[in-house]
Amino acid sequence: MKPSLIIHGGAWNIPDESVEDCRAGIQRALETGWKILSSGGAAIDAVTSAIVILEDDSTFDAGFGSHLNSDGHVQLDAILMDGGTLKAGAVAAVERIHNPIRLARSVLEHSDHVMLVAAGAEKFAEEHGIPLCPPEDLIHERERIAWRRCLSDSHAVEHHLGHESGTVGAVALDEHGHLFAGTSTGGTCCKLPGRVGDSPLIGCGCYADAEAGGVSCTGHGEGIMKIVMAKMATDLLHDQRVLLSHRKKAGPLSLAQAVADACIRKLAHRVHTTGGLILLDRQGRPAAAFNTPRMAYGYVEETGKFRIAP
Ligand code: GLY
């Protein structure tokens, strides 16, 4: 089977001055994931490694550099899902983990549970060889300044360079036909302590089913949860009718793209909010859609060439 990879660094109003940083981060994450897949490696390793690169890059709202909650803490969420077994591992509201996607993977591989939160997730990390870091290690000065402005003024998206909520994610299909999807986020800025969005919730911020495809979402979590967007996308991938109705309006395009577009239309019309998603169908055909001004994402074309946006 031909391997395939698509990744994202979030859909938001990316200002011109952040475009190059986004492109550079997406490029590095694609290179890392593709090196694994193109040399016969596993989709689970490609997704984990690509997301680690994005978590470590302070351009994106995941891992180091994430938004602070209203108490001034970073609380991180992540999920990794196996499209073959439908097993997922997820963590939420962790404050002392550099790379929550690694912890989500450990939950997937070493527990019978799907999700662990807060102190329980951090205890599991320690027991499984994932070091805890001081919470301050996750805080970027830019975000502390934005948080202070929100406290002293009022919470405003302008304090965050238009970046109110962001997420990173990846979907990979390897040459053995294994399909994995993963998502990681710092959530929305100034969120209430303990708030968990769509990202780590199976079917909302991420879903993978080797019989349909794999999906990672980004955007306003409270809206994405209402329409269970990642599961909606994989369900639609089973249903050719979405393609027929879309073709009438937009001419020929892949089923994968028609599905991605249909999900974003539903997000806008049914819950009146913004976001984006990336997906691979079960044969590895990529698609991305968003209704924000820009989305940071990239995928590998059939020729092996990287396609990067914005
Ligand atoms: N989509 C990220 C969040 O709302 O937490």
Side-chain angles (χ1 to χ4, degrees):
M1 192 144 206
K2 215 172 160 44
S4 186
L5 177 66
I6 186 165
I7 65 172
H8 74 84
W12 81 96
N13 188 6
I14 301 171
D16 291 345
E17 62 264 35
S18 300
V19 165
E20 273 319 305
D21 287 342
C22 286
R23 290 181 61 86
I26 295 293
Q27 171 85 25
R28 282 190 299 117
L30 268 183
E31 278 168 4
T32 302
W34 192 240
K35 197 169 164 194
I36 293 167
L37 290 175
S38 59
S39 56
I44 186 171
D45 293 327
V47 168
T48 309
S49 304
I51 291 180
V52 164
I53 297 284
L54 298 169
E55 287 177 336
D56 289 344
D57 187 332
S58 65
T59 308
F60 305 107
D61 179 30
F64 171 64
S66 287
H67 295 319
L68 275 53
N69 68 13
S70 60
D71 277 353
H73 298 155
V74 164
Q75 285 191 330
L76 302 173
D77 310 325
I79 182 169
L80 184 66
M81 184 160 182
D82 177 350
T85 61
L86 303 183
K87 169 104 170 72
V91 296
V94 293
E95 297 188 6
R96 295 185 294 164
I97 305 289
H98 257 294
N99 294 113
I101 194 68
R102 288 198 206 279
L103 182 53
R105 177 171 176 167
S106 193
V107 173
L108 170 65
E109 292 181 325
H110 304 302
S111 87
D112 292 331
H113 302 309
V114 169
M115 178 180 273
L116 297 176
V117 305
E122 291 178 359
K123 181 166 181 279
F124 184 87
E126 280 186 295
E127 289 165 359
H128 290 82
I130 295 178
L132 301 186
C133 65
E136 304 78 51
D137 280 12
L138 299 171
I139 297 179
H140 190 289
E141 194 50 24
R142 175 200 66 217
E143 292 303 320
R144 206 192 295 275
I145 291 168
W147 172 72
R148 284 205 188 108
R149 280 202 191 127
C150 290
L151 277 192
S152 62
D153 185 358
S154 64
H155 168 68
V157 70
E158 294 71 37
H159 300 329
H160 299 266
L161 281 173
H163 189 184
E164 193 175 22
S165 71
T167 304
V168 305
V171 186
L173 178 71
D174 65 31
E175 68 177 30
H176 306 291
H178 298 130
L179 178 76
F180 279 80
T183 304
S184 180
T185 190
T188 49
C189 57
C190 303
K191 64 188 179 183
L192 289 178
R195 177 267 186 190
V196 176
D198 62 299
S199 300
L201 302 184
I202 186 169
C204 295
C206 181
Y207 201 75
D209 178 350
E211 294 183 1
V215 184
S216 174
C217 302
T218 168
H220 182 235
E222 280 69 10
I224 294 169
M225 286 187 272
K226 284 178 188 157
I227 63 165
V228 197
M229 191 158 81
K231 181 65 163 67
M232 174 187 168
T234 55
D235 285 347
L236 287 176
L237 284 169
H238 275 302
D239 187 349
Q240 299 283 327
R241 281 173 302 176
V242 65
L243 186 57
L244 295 177
S245 71
H246 199 290
R247 269 195 181 140
K248 275 184 209 145
K249 293 181 212 121
L253 80 174
S254 70
L255 174 62
Q257 190 59 53
V259 165
D261 291 346
C263 291
I264 295 303
R265 277 203 307 277
K266 179 101 168 180
L267 187 70
H269 294 155
R270 192 67 185 89
V271 290
H272 314 293
T273 194
T274 56
L277 81 165
I278 55 166
L279 64 83
L280 294 181
D281 72 12
R282 67 194 169 90
Q283 282 156 323
R285 282 181 289 245
F290 52 99
N291 62 351
T292 49
R294 286 171 167 155
M295 178 161 82
Y297 70 99
Y299 60 91
V300 185
E301 291 180 336
E302 274 201 57
T303 57
K305 187 172 179 294
F306 290 0
R307 175 73 64 174
I308 292 176

